[in-house]
Amino acid sequence: MRNAPTILHLDMDAFYASAEQASKPSLRGKAVVVGGLGPRGVVATASYEARVFGVRSAMPMAQARRLAPNAAYLVPRFGFYRAISEQVMGLLHELSPLVEPLSLDEAFVDLEAGEAAWDEASARLVGEKLRADIRTGTGLTGSVGLAASKMLAKIASEEAKPDGLVLIEPGTERALLGPMSVRTLPGVGPATGDHLRRAGITTVDDIAEAGEDELVRLLGKAHGHALYAMALAHDDRPVVAEREAKSVSVEDTYDVDIHDRIRVGLEVQRLADRCVRRLRAAGLSGRTIVLKVRRYDFSTLTRSETLRGPTDDPAVVREAAARLLDAVDTTGGVRLLGVGVSGLADYTQEDLFAQAAGDATGMEHSGDEGVEEPVEEQVTVVERRWPAGHDVRHGEFGHGWVQGSGLGRVTVRFETPWSGPGRVRTFRVDDPELEAAEPLPLVAERPGVSVDGGGV
């Protein structure tokens, strides 16, 4: 581990929800939840106002609605988020050639490699300037952690949230980590955390006091050595320059081998859902589903199935993973399961989360291509093209966003990122004056830019 706090970790604050609030003046300061609005939908991001009610990422959307019934519930606009992310990542690449993105809203930067910082004072100046540049360029806020290692920089950015900067001074790391939960350390998930708790180990200090031999006995050689080193604030992992992702996967190792075939199937379904959430967070879809099974004797089996086209549909991934599991003998017990998706592609659909169980066919409608359809069917398809939160333009009223649609009607609030809260109007879903629109930039590119549609 280096001696100067020149590893920077940036985490954009409640990124998707904050982007929606910045884009929609009427939602600023209010509870906003972004995610899948259908019966199987999950929360992608919740604004800090929504988190007060207990809403959290990865929570079932039905539970979120019970906790915060008056929040605004919006369908993600991944193309919009990706454009903002590219701006932010561009700022990071100006600081160093070593930038390691973890998702659209999170990255590590090696400031020393770019000669942008070499000590505490210069690192703090870079961090403050970066936060200011992000706000100026995007209108959003990001939290910055600075430390001598990746682990500590990430912990610092969590301490800095929201909209802050925390620098961990060299020599203070052990004192800072000691009282923290073992879950703070990388690689300690719910299962490992529970295993350590049963052994009486709940804090980082407890890990250090238990000793390396005990950690190895409890967790195995590789994991035990690594966790003990991190508890002593030793983390030599380098910042790895950006590489194109070839796959997205998740896996869990179980403290006790799973023998129940039904339980194994349920675990695979859960992993498939987690994998899809990671796909969507990265703005990707994929066409090859991969199942990984490590059995009781440490033999590892990998099975895959390639679909006709890329998908981000959790039902499709679950079904493919279940088919792959059918071909694997798990009678002796399973110690690890994993689900992955490869053959990645960018999203091309506007509505990336299923709105309802039967909506997929309607979302694939591509317009008038010589196919004659009854008028009633055309109206149904058009109605599905107005996802909540997405941008529209009306010939008379200008730019706005969809508040909701149904029963042949669509309700639109007309406002822009630069206007005050706009007024609401309702139209027929087939109103010829209403059309889908591209998102507007959050920051006006020049003085005097028109606030088209705001405050009608």
Side-chain angles (χ1 to χ4, degrees):
M1 189 170 71
R2 63 189 71 193
N3 295 321
T6 53
I7 299 294
L8 181 149
H9 181 260
L10 170 71
D11 197 346
M12 299 294 289
D13 300 321
F15 182 44
Y16 301 164
S18 294
E20 297 296 348
Q21 289 175 315
S23 178
K24 302 170 172 64
S26 58
L27 298 184
R28 293 170 190 169
K30 298 181 180 178
V32 174
V33 181
V34 180
L37 305 190
R40 295 175 301 178
V42 296
V43 175
T45 308
S47 69
Y48 286 100
E49 295 85 355
R51 295 179 191 186
V52 171
F53 298 99
V55 180
R56 295 290 184 270
S57 298
M59 175 182 287
M61 190 60 76
Q63 182 182 357
R65 288 186 182 276
R66 289 193 296 271
L67 293 172
N70 297 320
Y73 289 86
L74 307 177
V75 174
R77 298 184 291 164
F78 280 110
F80 177 51
Y81 309 146
R82 191 160 51 243
I84 299 171
S85 175
E86 289 172 356
Q87 284 184 268
V88 174
M89 295 300 167
L91 292 173
L92 299 184
H93 280 287
E94 291 177 6
L95 299 176
S96 173
L98 290 184
V99 176
E100 182 180 344
L102 304 180
S103 62
L104 291 179
D105 60 341
E106 186 180 1
F108 287 109
V109 185
D110 188 330
L111 299 178
E112 188 174 11
E115 299 183 351
W118 49 91
D119 59 12
E120 295 175 35
S122 59
R124 188 180 295 276
L125 285 174
V126 168
E128 294 290 8
K129 183 177 186 301
L130 173 64
R131 292 177 58 237
D133 289 345
I134 289 173
R135 185 186 290 274
T136 300
T138 70
L140 303 180
T141 63
S143 294
V144 168
L146 292 158
S149 71
K150 290 170 68 173
M151 176 186 73
L152 293 167
K154 183 172 175 61
I155 291 172
S157 69
E158 287 296 322
E159 295 291 314
K161 281 183 167 294
D163 189 21
L165 181 148
V166 167
L167 183 148
I168 298 178
E169 298 179 3
T172 67
E173 298 94 347
R174 289 286 302 277
L176 174 73
L177 284 175
M180 291 184 172
S181 165
V182 294
R183 292 288 305 276
T184 303
L185 300 179
V188 181
T192 302
D194 286 343
H195 191 51
L196 291 171
R197 179 181 54 78
R198 289 194 294 271
I201 299 173
T202 59
T203 68
V204 177
D205 267 343
D206 291 339
I207 292 177
E209 291 173 7
E212 189 169 14
D213 291 343
E214 177 67 5
L215 266 292
V216 169
R217 186 186 71 81
L218 289 170
L219 304 175
K221 188 173 182 180
H223 199 182
H225 285 313
L227 196 60
Y228 182 72
M230 288 184 177
L232 300 181
H234 299 160
D235 177 21
D236 295 325
R237 294 174 301 159
V239 175
V240 180
E242 180 177 7
R243 296 192 184 107
E244 184 178 356
K246 294 183 178 180
S247 65
V248 172
S249 63
V250 297
E251 61 182 44
D252 274 345
T253 301
Y254 305 99
D255 296 329
V256 178
D257 291 353
I258 303 175
H259 293 83
D260 184 351
R261 182 73 178 187
I262 294 176
R263 166 85 188 282
V264 172
L266 291 174
E267 288 294 312
V268 168
Q269 302 294 287
R270 183 179 61 82
L271 290 166
D273 287 342
R274 280 175 53 196
C275 184
V276 168
R277 288 198 291 272
R278 286 195 179 184
L279 268 182
R280 289 172 169 174
L284 298 169
S285 58
R287 62 194 306 264
T288 299
I289 314 304
V290 181
L291 175 70
K292 178 180 177 181
V293 180
R294 181 168 297 151
R295 298 188 293 191
Y296 69 99
D297 58 358
F298 287 89
S299 62
T300 301
L301 303 176
T302 302
R303 299 288 184 267
S304 64
E305 175 181 322
T306 299
L307 309 174
R308 288 183 295 178
T311 185
D312 72 324
D313 188 333
V316 173
V317 177
R318 282 197 300 265
E319 290 167 6
R323 286 194 296 271
L324 294 169
L325 180 62
D326 287 341
V328 177
D329 180 10
T330 63
T331 52
V334 170
R335 58 185 300 112
L336 178 146
L337 290 168
V339 175
V341 177
S342 60
L344 303 181
D346 287 342
Y347 280 119
T348 56
Q349 297 168 291
E350 282 187 304
D351 184 1
L352 302 171
F353 282 77
Q355 296 302 292
D359 279 1
T361 302
M363 288 304 298
E364 291 174 1
H365 178 75
S366 58
D368 297 328
E369 298 178 354
V371 179
E372 295 184 2
E373 295 178 303
V375 172
E376 292 79 9
E377 291 185 14
Q378 289 180 352
V379 170
T380 300
V381 171
V382 171
E383 185 171 355
R384 289 180 182 138
R385 298 179 67 180
W386 306 117
H390 282 225
D391 298 83
V392 295
R393 179 175 295 279
H394 191 275
E396 179 180 353
F397 301 111
H399 191 97
W401 58 277
V402 176
Q403 281 200 321
S405 64
L407 302 177
R409 302 286 177 179
V410 55
T411 300
V412 178
R413 184 180 288 274
F414 290 97
E415 59 186 9
T416 72
W418 324 295
S419 71
R423 293 184 180 177
V424 175
R425 296 182 182 271
T426 299
F427 308 91
R428 288 177 54 88
V429 293
D430 58 353
D431 188 317
E433 294 285 319
L434 192 66
E435 62 182 2
E438 291 296 318
L440 297 174
L442 297 180
V443 177
E445 296 180 0
R446 60 185 184 280
V449 67
S450 171
V451 289
D452 181 20
V456 172

